[in-house]
Amino acid sequence: ENMAHDLKRMDLAKPETSILELAGALEQEFGCSPVAGGVAALRLREIAGSFARLAVRFRFDLPPYYALVLRTLVTLEGIALEADPNFRLLAAAHPVVISVALRTARKPATSAMVRDLLINQDGGLQWDRIRQLATVAQTSPNARPGGENMK
């Protein structure tokens, strides 16, 4: 349901879109097939396909550059998979995404996203997710000594 609210806050989902209906569709597309290793283990192509089905069904207002960027990333993932069949673009991108999110956390939407990512419903830290992010960051080619990532 959080993601459904996020899509509306980002003005991708139309104002008249039912949050419950969108949340149900998101759960159907993304929540019914647990993946070992979490989201980072998924292929971007799979996520893009699911998102495209939702975009058509709910008539998302997608700026043209969203499709261009997504197509570019899916193509890059395909090239990387030719070189290394075990490559996981989302796992490789996690440290960079978290770094950017934390640097721009002055924006309310970004702060909410980081909070949702790291804090559970009871207000406690999601230690499994933090460990997973730390593991991914540690193995990232962009990781630098002292905990600094790409700037």
Side-chain angles (χ1 to χ4, degrees), residues 40-124:
L42 291 173
R43 301 273 190 224
L44 186 59
R45 178 181 53 224
E46 296 165 2
I47 294 172
S50 293
F51 190 76
R53 285 188 291 279
L54 290 170
V56 169
R57 178 175 168 191
F58 290 95
R59 297 186 345 244
F60 288 170
D61 287 326
L62 295 173
Y65 61 87
Y66 273 41
L68 178 63
V69 169
L70 190 55
R71 188 177 331 146
T72 301
L73 290 172
V74 169
T75 300
L76 288 172
E77 180 185 56
I79 293 168
L81 287 170
E82 287 295 317
D84 178 4
N86 296 315
F87 179 76
R88 298 289 188 257
L89 180 65
L90 296 176
H94 256 135
V96 176
V97 170
I98 295 302
S99 175
V100 169
L102 291 174
R103 277 195 310 241
T104 60
R106 290 177 289 277
K107 298 177 183 174
T110 306
S111 296
M113 180 191 70
V114 172
R115 190 174 46 256
D116 289 345
L117 179 70
L118 300 177
I119 299 173
N120 64 27
Q121 293 173 339
D122 299 326

Coordinates of all heavy atoms in Angstrom, one line a residue, residues 40-124:
A40 N 16.9 -7.2 -4.8 CA 18.1 -7.0 -5.5 C 18.4 -8.3 -6.3 O 19.2 -8.2 -7.3 CB 19.3 -6.8 -4.5
A41 N 17.8 -9.4 -6.1 CA 18.0 -10.6 -6.8 C 17.2 -10.6 -8.1 O 17.4 -11.5 -9.0 CB 17.7 -11.9 -6.0
L42 N 16.2 -9.7 -8.2 CA 15.4 -9.7 -9.4 C 16.1 -9.1 -10.6 O 17.1 -8.4 -10.5 CB 14.2 -8.8 -9.2 CG 13.1 -9.4 -8.2 CD1 12.1 -8.3 -8.0 CD2 12.5 -10.6 -8.7
R43 N 15.7 -9.5 -11.8 CA 16.2 -8.9 -13.0 C 15.4 -7.6 -13.3 O 14.1 -7.6 -13.1 CB 16.0 -9.8 -14.2 CG 16.7 -11.1 -14.0 CD 18.1 -11.0 -14.5 NE 18.7 -12.3 -14.6 CZ 19.9 -12.6 -14.1 NH1 20.7 -11.6 -13.6 NH2 20.4 -13.8 -14.2
L44 N 16.0 -6.6 -13.7 CA 15.3 -5.3 -14.0 C 14.3 -5.5 -15.1 O 13.2 -4.9 -15.1 CB 16.3 -4.2 -14.4 CG 15.8 -2.8 -14.6 CD1 15.1 -2.3 -13.4 CD2 16.9 -1.9 -15.1
R45 N 14.6 -6.4 -16.1 CA 13.7 -6.7 -17.2 C 12.3 -7.2 -16.6 O 11.3 -6.8 -17.1 CB 14.3 -7.7 -18.1 CG 13.4 -8.1 -19.3 CD 14.1 -9.2 -20.1 NE 14.6 -10.3 -19.3 CZ 15.7 -10.9 -19.5 NH1 16.6 -10.4 -20.4 NH2 16.1 -11.9 -18.8
E46 N 12.4 -8.1 -15.6 CA 11.2 -8.6 -15.0 C 10.4 -7.5 -14.3 O 9.1 -7.4 -14.4 CB 11.5 -9.7 -13.9 CG 12.2 -10.9 -14.5 CD 12.9 -11.7 -13.4 OE1 12.8 -11.4 -12.2 OE2 13.5 -12.7 -13.8
I47 N 11.1 -6.6 -13.5 CA 10.4 -5.5 -12.9 C 9.8 -4.5 -13.9 O 8.7 -4.1 -13.7 CB 11.4 -4.8 -11.9 CG1 11.8 -5.7 -10.8 CG2 10.8 -3.5 -11.4 CD1 12.9 -5.2 -10.0
A48 N 10.5 -4.3 -15.0 CA 10.1 -3.3 -16.0 C 8.8 -3.9 -16.7 O 7.8 -3.2 -16.9 CB 11.1 -3.1 -17.0
G49 N 8.8 -5.2 -16.9 CA 7.6 -5.8 -17.5 C 6.4 -5.7 -16.6 O 5.3 -5.4 -17.0
S50 N 6.6 -6.0 -15.3 CA 5.5 -5.8 -14.3 C 5.0 -4.4 -14.2 O 3.8 -4.1 -14.2 CB 5.9 -6.3 -12.9 OG 6.2 -7.7 -13.0
F51 N 5.9 -3.5 -14.2 CA 5.6 -2.1 -14.1 C 4.8 -1.6 -15.4 O 3.9 -0.8 -15.3 CB 6.8 -1.2 -13.9 CG 6.5 0.2 -13.5 CD1 6.0 0.6 -12.3 CD2 6.6 1.2 -14.5 CE1 5.7 1.9 -12.0 CE2 6.3 2.5 -14.2 CZ 5.8 2.9 -12.9
A52 N 5.3 -2.1 -16.5 CA 4.6 -1.7 -17.8 C 3.1 -2.2 -17.8 O 2.3 -1.5 -18.2 CB 5.4 -2.3 -19.0
R53 N 2.9 -3.4 -17.3 CA 1.5 -3.9 -17.2 C 0.7 -3.0 -16.3 O -0.5 -2.7 -16.6 CB 1.5 -5.4 -16.7 CG 2.0 -6.4 -17.8 CD 1.7 -7.8 -17.3 NE 2.6 -8.2 -16.2 CZ 3.9 -8.6 -16.4 NH1 4.4 -8.6 -17.6 NH2 4.6 -9.0 -15.4
L54 N 1.3 -2.6 -15.2 CA 0.5 -1.7 -14.3 C 0.3 -0.4 -14.9 O -0.8 0.2 -14.7 CB 1.3 -1.6 -13.0 CG 1.3 -2.8 -12.1 CD1 2.3 -2.6 -10.9 CD2 -0.1 -3.2 -11.5
A55 N 1.3 0.2 -15.6 CA 1.2 1.5 -16.2 C 0.1 1.5 -17.2 O -0.7 2.5 -17.3 CB 2.5 1.9 -16.9
V56 N -0.1 0.4 -18.0 CA -1.1 0.4 -19.0 C -2.5 0.2 -18.3 O -3.4 1.0 -18.6 CB -0.9 -0.8 -20.0 CG1 -2.1 -1.0 -20.9 CG2 0.3 -0.5 -20.8
R57 N -2.6 -0.7 -17.3 CA -3.8 -0.9 -16.7 C -4.4 0.3 -15.9 O -5.5 0.6 -16.0 CB -3.6 -2.1 -15.7 CG -4.9 -2.4 -14.9 CD -4.7 -3.6 -14.0 NE -5.7 -3.7 -13.0 CZ -5.7 -4.6 -12.0 NH1 -4.7 -5.4 -11.9 NH2 -6.7 -4.6 -11.2
F58 N -3.5 1.0 -15.3 CA -3.9 2.2 -14.4 C -3.6 3.5 -15.1 O -3.8 4.6 -14.5 CB -3.2 2.2 -13.1 CG -3.7 1.1 -12.2 CD1 -3.0 -0.2 -12.2 CD2 -4.9 1.2 -11.5 CE1 -3.5 -1.2 -11.4 CE2 -5.3 0.2 -10.7 CZ -4.7 -1.0 -10.6
R59 N -3.2 3.5 -16.4 CA -3.0 4.7 -17.2 C -2.1 5.7 -16.5 O -2.4 6.9 -16.3 CB -4.3 5.3 -17.6 CG -5.1 4.4 -18.5 CD -6.4 5.1 -19.0 NE -6.8 6.3 -18.4 CZ -7.9 6.5 -17.7 NH1 -8.7 5.5 -17.5 NH2 -8.2 7.6 -17.1
F60 N -0.9 5.2 -16.1 CA 0.1 6.1 -15.4 C 0.5 7.2 -16.3 O 0.6 7.1 -17.5 CB 1.3 5.3 -15.0 CG 1.2 4.4 -13.9 CD1 2.2 3.5 -13.6 CD2 0.0 4.3 -13.1 CE1 2.1 2.6 -12.5 CE2 -0.1 3.4 -12.0 CZ 0.9 2.5 -11.8
D61 N 0.7 8.4 -15.7 CA 1.2 9.6 -16.4 C 2.8 9.5 -16.4 O 3.4 10.0 -15.4 CB 0.8 10.9 -15.8 CG -0.7 11.1 -16.1 OD1 -1.1 10.8 -17.2 OD2 -1.4 11.7 -15.3
L62 N 3.4 8.8 -17.3 CA 4.8 8.7 -17.3 C 5.5 9.7 -18.3 O 5.1 9.7 -19.5 CB 5.2 7.2 -17.8 CG 4.8 6.1 -16.9 CD1 5.1 4.8 -17.6 CD2 5.5 6.2 -15.6
P63 N 6.4 10.5 -17.7 CA 7.1 11.4 -18.6 C 7.9 10.5 -19.6 O 8.4 9.4 -19.3 CB 8.1 12.1 -17.7 CG 7.5 11.9 -16.3 CD 6.8 10.6 -16.3
P64 N 8.1 11.0 -20.9 CA 8.8 10.2 -21.9 C 10.2 9.7 -21.5 O 10.6 8.6 -21.9 CB 8.8 11.1 -23.1 CG 7.8 12.2 -22.9 CD 7.6 12.3 -21.4
Y65 N 10.9 10.5 -20.7 CA 12.2 10.1 -20.4 C 12.2 8.9 -19.4 O 13.2 8.2 -19.3 CB 13.0 11.3 -19.8 CG 12.5 11.9 -18.5 CD1 12.8 11.3 -17.3 CD2 11.6 13.0 -18.6 CE1 12.3 11.9 -16.1 CE2 11.1 13.5 -17.4 CZ 11.4 13.0 -16.2 OH 10.9 13.5 -15.0
Y66 N 11.1 8.6 -18.7 CA 11.1 7.4 -17.8 C 11.3 6.2 -18.7 O 12.0 5.3 -18.4 CB 9.7 7.3 -17.1 CG 9.6 8.1 -15.8 CD1 10.2 9.3 -15.6 CD2 9.0 7.5 -14.7 CE1 10.1 10.0 -14.5 CE2 8.9 8.2 -13.5 CZ 9.4 9.4 -13.4 OH 9.3 10.1 -12.2
A67 N 10.5 6.1 -19.8 CA 10.6 4.9 -20.7 C 12.0 4.8 -21.3 O 12.6 3.7 -21.4 CB 9.5 5.0 -21.8
L68 N 12.6 6.0 -21.7 CA 13.9 6.0 -22.3 C 14.9 5.5 -21.3 O 15.8 4.6 -21.6 CB 14.2 7.4 -22.8 CG 15.6 7.5 -23.4 CD1 15.8 6.7 -24.6 CD2 15.9 9.0 -23.7
V69 N 14.9 6.0 -20.1 CA 15.9 5.6 -19.0 C 15.7 4.1 -18.7 O 16.7 3.4 -18.6 CB 15.7 6.5 -17.8 CG1 16.5 5.9 -16.6 CG2 16.2 7.9 -18.1
L70 N 14.4 3.7 -18.6 CA 14.2 2.3 -18.2 C 14.7 1.3 -19.3 O 15.3 0.3 -19.1 CB 12.7 2.1 -17.9 CG 12.3 0.7 -17.4 CD1 13.1 0.4 -16.1 CD2 10.8 0.7 -17.1
R71 N 14.4 1.7 -20.6 CA 14.8 0.9 -21.7 C 16.4 0.8 -21.8 O 17.0 -0.2 -22.0 CB 14.3 1.5 -23.0 CG 14.6 0.6 -24.2 CD 14.0 1.0 -25.5 NE 12.8 1.8 -25.3 CZ 12.5 2.8 -26.1 NH1 13.2 3.2 -27.1 NH2 11.3 3.5 -26.0
T72 N 17.0 2.0 -21.5 CA 18.5 2.0 -21.5 C 19.0 1.1 -20.4 O 20.0 0.3 -20.6 CB 19.0 3.4 -21.2 OG1 18.4 4.3 -22.3 CG2 20.5 3.5 -21.2
L73 N 18.4 1.1 -19.2 CA 18.9 0.3 -18.1 C 18.7 -1.2 -18.4 O 19.5 -2.0 -18.1 CB 18.2 0.7 -16.8 CG 18.7 2.0 -16.2 CD1 17.8 2.4 -15.0 CD2 20.1 2.0 -15.8
V74 N 17.6 -1.5 -19.0 CA 17.3 -2.9 -19.3 C 18.3 -3.4 -20.4 O 18.8 -4.5 -20.3 CB 15.8 -3.1 -19.8 CG1 15.6 -4.5 -20.4 CG2 14.9 -2.9 -18.6
T75 N 18.6 -2.5 -21.3 CA 19.6 -2.9 -22.3 C 21.0 -3.1 -21.7 O 21.7 -4.1 -22.0 CB 19.7 -1.8 -23.4 OG1 18.4 -1.7 -24.0 CG2 20.7 -2.1 -24.5
L76 N 21.4 -2.2 -20.8 CA 22.7 -2.3 -20.1 C 22.7 -3.6 -19.3 O 23.7 -4.3 -19.2 CB 22.9 -1.1 -19.2 CG 23.3 0.2 -20.0 CD1 23.3 1.3 -19.0 CD2 24.6 0.0 -20.8
E77 N 21.6 -3.9 -18.6 CA 21.5 -5.2 -17.9 C 21.7 -6.4 -18.8 O 22.5 -7.3 -18.5 CB 20.2 -5.3 -17.1 CG 20.1 -6.6 -16.3 CD 18.7 -6.7 -15.7 OE1 17.7 -6.7 -16.5 OE2 18.6 -6.9 -14.5
G78 N 21.1 -6.3 -20.0 CA 21.3 -7.4 -20.9 C 22.7 -7.6 -21.4 O 23.2 -8.7 -21.5
I79 N 23.4 -6.5 -21.6 CA 24.8 -6.5 -22.0 C 25.6 -7.1 -20.9 O 26.5 -8.0 -21.1 CB 25.3 -5.1 -22.4 CG1 24.6 -4.7 -23.7 CG2 26.8 -5.1 -22.6 CD1 24.8 -3.2 -24.1
A80 N 25.4 -6.7 -19.7 CA 26.1 -7.2 -18.5 C 25.9 -8.6 -18.3 O 26.8 -9.4 -18.0 CB 25.8 -6.4 -17.3
L81 N 24.7 -9.1 -18.6 CA 24.4 -10.5 -18.4 C 25.1 -11.4 -19.4 O 25.4 -12.6 -19.1 CB 22.9 -10.7 -18.4 CG 22.1 -10.3 -17.2 CD1 20.6 -10.3 -17.5 CD2 22.4 -11.1 -16.0
E82 N 25.4 -10.8 -20.6 CA 26.2 -11.6 -21.6 C 27.6 -11.8 -21.0 O 28.1 -12.9 -21.3 CB 26.2 -10.8 -22.9 CG 24.9 -10.8 -23.7 CD 24.5 -12.2 -24.1 OE1 25.4 -13.0 -24.6 OE2 23.4 -12.6 -24.0
A83 N 28.1 -10.8 -20.3 CA 29.5 -11.0 -19.8 C 29.5 -11.8 -18.5 O 30.4 -12.6 -18.3 CB 30.1 -9.6 -19.5
D84 N 28.5 -11.6 -17.7 CA 28.4 -12.3 -16.4 C 26.9 -12.7 -16.1 O 26.1 -11.9 -15.7 CB 28.9 -11.4 -15.3 CG 28.8 -12.1 -13.9 OD1 28.4 -13.3 -13.8 OD2 29.1 -11.4 -12.9
P85 N 26.6 -14.0 -16.4 CA 25.2 -14.4 -16.2 C 24.6 -14.2 -14.8 O 23.4 -14.3 -14.5 CB 25.2 -15.9 -16.6 CG 26.5 -16.1 -17.3 CD 27.4 -15.0 -16.9
N86 N 25.5 -14.1 -13.8 CA 25.1 -13.9 -12.4 C 25.0 -12.4 -12.0 O 24.7 -12.1 -10.8 CB 26.1 -14.6 -11.5 CG 26.0 -16.1 -11.7 OD1 25.0 -16.7 -11.8 ND2 27.2 -16.7 -11.8
F87 N 25.2 -11.5 -12.9 CA 25.2 -10.1 -12.6 C 23.8 -9.7 -12.2 O 22.8 -10.1 -12.8 CB 25.6 -9.3 -13.8 CG 25.6 -7.8 -13.6 CD1 26.6 -7.2 -12.8 CD2 24.5 -7.0 -14.1 CE1 26.5 -5.8 -12.6 CE2 24.5 -5.6 -13.9 CZ 25.5 -5.0 -13.1
R88 N 23.7 -8.9 -11.2 CA 22.4 -8.3 -10.7 C 22.5 -6.8 -10.6 O 23.2 -6.3 -9.7 CB 22.1 -8.9 -9.3 CG 21.9 -10.4 -9.2 CD 20.6 -10.8 -9.9 NE 20.3 -12.2 -9.7 CZ 20.5 -13.1 -10.6 NH1 21.0 -12.8 -11.8 NH2 20.1 -14.3 -10.4
L89 N 21.9 -6.2 -11.6 CA 22.0 -4.7 -11.7 C 21.4 -4.0 -10.4 O 22.0 -3.1 -9.9 CB 21.2 -4.2 -12.9 CG 21.2 -2.7 -13.1 CD1 22.6 -2.2 -13.4 CD2 20.3 -2.3 -14.2
L90 N 20.3 -4.5 -9.9 CA 19.7 -3.9 -8.7 C 20.6 -4.0 -7.5 O 20.7 -3.1 -6.7 CB 18.3 -4.4 -8.5 CG 17.3 -4.1 -9.6 CD1 16.0 -4.8 -9.3 CD2 17.1 -2.6 -9.7
A91 N 21.3 -5.2 -7.4 CA 22.2 -5.4 -6.2 C 23.4 -4.4 -6.4 O 23.8 -3.8 -5.4 CB 22.7 -6.8 -6.2
A92 N 23.9 -4.3 -7.6 CA 25.0 -3.4 -7.8 C 24.6 -1.9 -7.6 O 25.4 -1.1 -7.1 CB 25.6 -3.6 -9.2
A93 N 23.4 -1.6 -7.9 CA 22.9 -0.2 -7.7 C 22.6 0.2 -6.3 O 22.5 1.4 -6.0 CB 21.8 0.1 -8.7
H94 N 22.3 -0.8 -5.5 CA 21.8 -0.4 -4.1 C 22.7 0.6 -3.4 O 22.1 1.6 -2.8 CB 21.7 -1.7 -3.3 CG 20.3 -2.2 -3.1 ND1 20.0 -3.5 -3.2 CD2 19.2 -1.6 -2.7 CE1 18.7 -3.7 -3.0 NE2 18.2 -2.5 -2.7
P95 N 24.0 0.4 -3.3 CA 24.8 1.4 -2.6 C 24.7 2.8 -3.1 O 24.6 3.7 -2.4 CB 26.2 0.8 -2.7 CG 26.1 -0.6 -3.1 CD 24.8 -0.7 -3.8
V96 N 24.7 2.9 -4.4 CA 24.6 4.2 -5.0 C 23.2 4.9 -4.7 O 23.1 6.0 -4.4 CB 24.8 4.1 -6.6 CG1 24.7 5.5 -7.2 CG2 26.2 3.6 -6.8
V97 N 22.1 4.1 -4.9 CA 20.8 4.6 -4.6 C 20.7 5.0 -3.2 O 20.1 6.1 -2.9 CB 19.7 3.5 -5.0 CG1 18.4 3.9 -4.5 CG2 19.7 3.2 -6.5
I98 N 21.1 4.2 -2.3 CA 21.0 4.6 -0.8 C 21.9 5.8 -0.6 O 21.4 6.8 0.1 CB 21.5 3.4 0.1 CG1 20.5 2.3 -0.1 CG2 21.6 3.9 1.5 CD1 19.1 2.6 0.2
S99 N 23.1 5.9 -1.1 CA 23.9 7.1 -1.0 C 23.2 8.4 -1.4 O 23.2 9.4 -0.7 CB 25.2 6.9 -1.7 OG 26.0 8.0 -1.6
V100 N 22.7 8.3 -2.6 CA 22.0 9.5 -3.2 C 20.7 9.8 -2.3 O 20.5 11.0 -2.0 CB 21.5 9.2 -4.6 CG1 20.6 10.3 -5.1 CG2 22.8 9.2 -5.5
A101 N 20.0 8.8 -1.9 CA 18.8 9.0 -1.1 C 19.2 9.7 0.2 O 18.5 10.6 0.7 CB 18.1 7.7 -0.8
L102 N 20.2 9.2 0.8 CA 20.6 9.8 2.1 C 21.1 11.3 1.9 O 20.9 12.1 2.8 CB 21.7 9.0 2.8 CG 21.2 7.6 3.3 CD1 22.3 6.8 3.8 CD2 20.1 7.8 4.4
R103 N 21.8 11.5 0.8 CA 22.3 12.9 0.6 C 21.2 13.9 0.3 O 21.3 15.1 0.5 CB 23.3 12.9 -0.6 CG 24.7 12.5 -0.2 CD 25.7 12.9 -1.3 NE 25.2 12.4 -2.5 CZ 25.8 11.6 -3.3 NH1 27.0 11.1 -2.9 NH2 25.3 11.1 -4.4
T104 N 20.1 13.4 -0.3 CA 19.0 14.3 -0.7 C 17.8 14.1 0.3 O 16.7 14.5 0.0 CB 18.5 14.0 -2.1 OG1 18.1 12.6 -2.2 CG2 19.6 14.2 -3.1
A105 N 18.1 13.6 1.5 CA 17.0 13.3 2.4 C 16.3 14.6 3.0 O 15.4 14.5 3.7 CB 17.5 12.4 3.5
R106 N 16.8 15.7 2.6 CA 16.1 17.0 3.0 C 14.7 17.1 2.4 O 13.9 17.9 2.8 CB 17.0 18.2 2.7 CG 18.2 18.2 3.6 CD 19.1 19.4 3.2 NE 19.8 19.2 1.9 CZ 20.9 18.5 1.7 NH1 21.5 18.0 2.7 NH2 21.4 18.4 0.5
K107 N 14.5 16.4 1.3 CA 13.2 16.4 0.6 C 12.3 15.5 1.3 O 12.6 14.4 1.6 CB 13.4 16.0 -0.9 CG 14.3 17.0 -1.7 CD 14.4 16.5 -3.1 CE 15.4 17.4 -3.8 NZ 15.7 16.9 -5.1
P108 N 11.1 15.9 1.7 CA 10.1 15.1 2.4 C 9.9 13.7 1.8 O 9.8 12.7 2.5 CB 8.9 15.9 2.5 CG 9.3 17.3 2.3 CD 10.5 17.3 1.4
A109 N 9.7 13.7 0.5 CA 9.4 12.4 -0.2 C 10.6 11.4 0.0 O 10.4 10.2 0.2 CB 9.1 12.6 -1.6
T110 N 11.8 12.0 -0.2 CA 13.0 11.1 0.0 C 13.2 10.7 1.4 O 13.5 9.5 1.6 CB 14.3 11.9 -0.5 OG1 14.1 12.4 -1.8 CG2 15.5 11.0 -0.5
S111 N 12.9 11.5 2.3 CA 13.0 11.1 3.8 C 12.1 10.0 4.1 O 12.4 9.1 4.7 CB 12.7 12.3 4.7 OG 13.7 13.3 4.5
A112 N 10.8 10.1 3.5 CA 9.8 9.1 3.7 C 10.3 7.8 3.1 O 10.1 6.7 3.7 CB 8.5 9.5 3.2
M113 N 10.9 7.8 1.9 CA 11.3 6.6 1.3 C 12.4 5.9 2.1 O 12.4 4.7 2.3 CB 11.9 6.9 -0.1 CG 12.4 5.7 -0.9 SD 13.2 6.1 -2.4 CE 14.7 6.8 -1.8
V114 N 13.4 6.7 2.5 CA 14.5 6.1 3.3 C 13.9 5.6 4.6 O 14.3 4.5 5.1 CB 15.6 7.2 3.6 CG1 16.6 6.7 4.6 CG2 16.3 7.6 2.3
R115 N 13.0 6.3 5.3 CA 12.4 5.8 6.5 C 11.7 4.5 6.3 O 11.8 3.6 7.0 CB 11.5 6.9 7.0 CG 10.9 6.6 8.4 CD 10.1 7.8 9.0 NE 9.1 8.3 8.1 CZ 9.3 9.5 7.5 NH1 10.3 10.3 7.6 NH2 8.3 9.9 6.6
D116 N 10.9 4.4 5.2 CA 10.2 3.2 4.9 C 11.1 2.0 4.6 O 10.9 0.9 4.9 CB 9.3 3.4 3.7 CG 8.1 4.3 4.0 OD1 7.8 4.5 5.1 OD2 7.4 4.7 3.0
L117 N 12.3 2.4 4.0 CA 13.3 1.3 3.7 C 14.0 0.8 4.9 O 14.2 -0.4 5.0 CB 14.3 1.9 2.7 CG 15.4 1.0 2.3 CD1 14.9 -0.1 1.4 CD2 16.5 1.8 1.6
L118 N 14.3 1.6 5.9 CA 15.1 1.2 7.0 C 14.4 1.0 8.4 O 14.9 0.4 9.3 CB 16.2 2.3 7.2 CG 17.1 2.5 6.0 CD1 18.2 3.5 6.4 CD2 17.8 1.2 5.7
I119 N 13.1 1.5 8.5 CA 12.4 1.5 9.7 C 11.1 0.7 9.6 O 10.4 0.9 8.6 CB 12.1 2.9 10.3 CG1 13.5 3.6 10.5 CG2 11.3 2.9 11.5 CD1 13.3 5.1 10.9
N120 N 10.9 -0.2 10.5 CA 9.7 -1.1 10.4 C 8.4 -0.3 11.0 O 8.6 0.8 11.5 CB 9.9 -2.4 11.1 CG 10.1 -2.3 12.6 OD1 9.6 -1.4 13.2 ND2 10.8 -3.3 13.1
Q121 N 7.3 -0.9 10.9 CA 6.0 -0.3 11.3 C 6.0 0.0 12.8 O 5.3 0.9 13.2 CB 4.8 -1.2 11.0 CG 4.6 -1.4 9.5 CD 3.5 -2.4 9.2 OE1 3.2 -3.2 10.0 NE2 3.0 -2.3 8.0
D122 N 6.8 -0.7 13.6 CA 6.9 -0.4 15.1 C 7.9 0.7 15.4 O 8.1 1.0 16.6 CB 7.2 -1.7 15.8 CG 6.2 -2.8 15.6 OD1 5.0 -2.4 15.5 OD2 6.6 -4.0 15.6
G123 N 8.6 1.2 14.4 CA 9.5 2.3 14.7 C 10.9 1.8 14.9 O 11.9 2.6 15.1
G124 N 11.1 0.4 14.8 CA 12.5 -0.1 15.0 C 13.2 -0.3 13.7 O 12.6 -0.2 12.6

